[in-house]
Structure formats: C-alpha cells, structure tokens
Amino acid sequence: SVVPTINFSPGTLTQFTAAPAPVTLSPGSSTTFIWSFSPSATGTYSLTAYAAGPDAISGLTQTSASYSGQAIVRSPAVLTSSISLSPANASTSQLVTLIMTVTNSGEADAISVAPIQSNGSTYLAKVGTANPVVLSTGPTPGSQTVPGLSTRAFTFVYQANGAGVLAFSGASRGTDAILGAEIESGPGPSNNIN
C-alpha cells in the first residue's frame, strides 16, 4: 500500500480531517491524496508532502519525490467608512465636495467596494436642514478594490440650492476577495457645513 505523508510548519496549522487512507496502485495508475487544514493564525505556511510504499515483487520501499508548497493565510477584510464635507461654510448654489474614505483593516482585499445607495441616486443619506440638495457628480470612482490594510477614497460633488445645515451619512459595501462573502461598513456621519 502507498502511504501519504505531509509535514507543515508552523505548528499553528491545525489538521481537522483524518489523513487519507493508504491505497494500492497497479502499474501505470495514479491517485490523489487530499488533506484539509484549518489555520489558527495568519501568516505563511510551508507544506511538504510525499508518498511511499513497498514494491509488490521486491518488497523494497519506493518513495516519491517530495512536493513543497506554501499557503498564505490572511485575516478577513473589514471595512470602516468616514465622510468629510468641504468647504466648512458654503453659499447657496455653491458646489460642495464630499469625500468618503474607506479603510480595510483586514489583510484580505475587499473587491467591488462602493458607497451604498440609500436614497435614489444620491447614494448617501442627507441629514440637516439644507434643501434641496442635488448630486452633481460621483461617486468617483463608482467602485474599486480596497487592498488589505489600506485606504481608498470616493468623491462626490453636491450643490446645495437652499440655506441651512448640510450633512450626510453613508456606508460602503464590498466582497471579501478570499471568502467571497459580502461585507459592509457601519454608517459614517460627516461633519456639518452651513
């Protein structure tokens, strides 16, 4: 019987399935051995695997070449959003710029990240007394990847056609590039402008 063996380091990689069972291989045949592992820490893991078994005629042990590989384990993507408005004081009909800053504090990339559309075409919820407020451009870009441990920005330009206090609240949404799961930041309020 051919017996598979795998070695890994560091030891924080935890095997959670039984090792594949030995198999008997006829001349010219092949098989695939599968292990599943659950990493308990982030980092780079090294794996070395080989198989060995006795020759059916001579009884001598035959050992395959070793295969070495690496697996990089990253923490899941985590999004947070913050919003800033400028200028601090604006006149009626003046254009104001809103910048949503999205930070990914996880190590995995967050892909297809975009501000969440919460109010028609405005994408962000307006708060305050200024009314009406019109979206002139944005968001720019429409969506983007936020790499792990990185920050990216989205820009909106609004026109406030009525007097009052203007502020916005909004969040962002994307997909964890490794897990494929949808992730979302909590709502981030902006500063007020008058």
Side-chain angles (χ1 to χ4, degrees):
S1 293
V2 178
V3 180
T5 300
I6 191 167
N7 299 305
F8 57 85
S9 64
T12 47
L13 189 63
T14 304
Q15 183 175 347
F16 67 88
T17 62
V23 298
T24 297
L25 293 178
S26 58
S29 63
S30 63
T31 190
T32 300
F33 296 109
I34 298 175
W35 290 265
S36 294
F37 294 90
S38 177
S40 57
T42 59
T44 300
Y45 293 88
S46 298
L47 308 169
T48 302
Y50 64 93
D55 183 283
I57 298 174
S58 68
L60 298 176
T61 299
Q62 304 296 314
T63 303
S64 73
S66 294
Y67 169 80
S68 297
Q70 288 187 331
I72 299 175
V73 178
R74 296 183 172 94
S75 60
V78 178
L79 298 180
T80 56
S81 299
S82 62
I83 301 174
S84 64
L85 278 172
S86 63
N89 296 286
S91 301
T92 302
S93 300
Q94 181 178 348
L95 296 178
V96 296
T97 299
L98 180 152
I99 296 178
M100 170 183 277
T101 301
V102 180
T103 298
N104 177 6
S105 57
E107 295 174 332
D109 292 349
I111 60 175
S112 302
V113 177
I116 296 175
Q117 187 167 353
S118 60
N119 184 19
S121 62
T122 63
Y123 284 87
L124 306 174
K126 182 183 72 71
V127 294
T129 58
N131 195 56
V133 177
V134 179
L135 175 64
S136 296
T137 62
T140 305
S143 67
Q144 60 182 314
T145 294
V146 182
L149 306 177
S150 299
T151 297
R152 296 292 185 267
F154 297 89
T155 301
F156 299 77
V157 177
Y158 290 91
Q159 185 174 38
N161 293 323
V165 176
L166 178 62
F168 288 87
S169 177
S172 59
R173 179 183 294 148
T175 300
D176 186 297
I178 296 176
L179 298 176
E182 185 177 89
I183 52 176
E184 185 175 310
S185 72
S190 73
N191 58 300
N192 294 338
I193 64 173
N194 299 301

